[in-house]
Amino acid sequence: MNWHGLTVGFALTGSHCTLEEIMPQIQRFVDVGAKVVPIVSQSVLTTDTRFGKAADWQKQLIDMTGSNLITTIVDAEPLGPSKKLDVMLIAPCTGNTTSKLANAMTESPVLMAAKAQMRNQRPLVLAISTNDGLGLNSMNIAKLLITKNIYFVPFGQDAPEAKPNSLVARMDLTLETCEAALQGKQLQPMIIERFLYT
């Protein structure tokens, strides 16, 4: 697929343990010629964790994409009328974000950008990373699975014995999922086995 001339909204939310895995996926979009617009939640913007400092993640995003971060609802709102994004990806998409998106709550730049994308009937791709995907959040995932123009990066249980409700996407399939979504298709298989046990 030719990505030149296409704009990807790449939104990151607070599954901080997944951010290191996400960065190479952003680079893949840059490498194939897409313009990447980074959008970050308040958690990614302000929270230092054992997985890295917020300022370091921000610098890496800006250096990698050559774009300023969208960090406020006010910054994200124009994405709707401008129809700037050809495809939007939320990766990682936390259980908190999944829940709010499924229940039409718009209280962050990521959710405002998602709302704008849905308003424009353009593809919104979710790469979930949630400890309660098979718990209370399963109902929210189910609502999003049947929502028009929403697609999922293939996902599965990441640690079924230790965390039986946890679901995490195969982050290395973000580009392929977005390519399929731009054609109106869900990348298959969508529900996968992340790890094989012998």
Side-chain angles (χ1 to χ4, degrees):
M1 178 177 172
N2 185 1
W3 281 92
H4 290 274
L6 295 180
T7 300
V8 179
F10 204 116
L12 297 88
T13 65
S15 177
H16 297 276
C17 59
T18 316
L19 294 181
E20 186 173 356
E21 187 180 356
I22 289 297
M23 292 300 165
Q25 306 313 315
I26 298 173
Q27 187 64 53
R28 288 182 71 202
F29 283 96
V30 173
D31 290 345
V32 296
K35 177 175 175 53
V36 177
V37 176
I39 307 158
V40 297
S41 70
Q42 187 69 15
S43 178
V44 174
L45 184 66
T46 62
T47 307
D48 294 336
T49 73
R50 62 190 173 97
F51 301 104
K53 294 186 179 298
D56 294 338
W57 293 121
Q58 292 169 43
K59 183 179 187 308
Q60 193 172 345
L61 282 168
I62 293 168
D63 290 347
M64 189 180 299
T65 64
S67 298
N68 291 326
L69 305 180
I70 292 179
T71 63
T72 68
I73 291 175
V74 172
D75 290 340
E77 191 278 332
L79 294 173
S82 71
K83 298 185 178 180
K84 184 174 184 176
L85 306 180
D86 295 290
V87 60
M88 180 179 165
L89 170 67
I90 305 177
C93 183
T94 61
N96 187 44
T97 301
T98 303
S99 173
K100 290 176 180 177
L101 182 61
N103 290 284
M105 297 175 66
T106 308
E107 49 73 71
S108 74
V110 171
L111 291 165
M112 175 57 80
K115 178 180 177 180
Q117 190 73 353
M118 295 172 73
R119 156 191 163 162
N120 290 332
Q121 298 182 18
R122 292 185 173 181
L124 174 62
V125 176
L126 309 179
I128 59 174
S129 179
T130 171
N131 282 326
D132 68 340
L134 293 176
L136 285 175
N137 228 331
S138 60
M139 70 181 89
N140 298 313
I141 292 171
K143 285 171 72 173
L144 295 171
L145 282 170
I146 60 169
T147 302
K148 186 177 179 181
N149 298 317
I150 291 184
Y151 304 88
F152 281 77
V153 176
F155 61 87
Q157 290 176 279
D158 61 307
E161 294 182 358
K163 302 185 295 181
N165 288 342
S166 182
L167 294 174
V168 178
R170 273 273 308 272
M171 300 304 174
D172 60 315
L173 294 175
T174 55
L175 180 67
E176 292 80 1
T177 306
C178 288
E179 288 181 345
L182 282 164
Q183 300 171 47
K185 298 175 183 177
Q186 170 62 55
L187 187 67
Q188 297 291 346
M190 182 182 66
I191 299 176
I192 60 168
E193 188 170 17
R194 281 181 51 93
F195 298 103
L196 295 175
Y197 291 89
T198 57

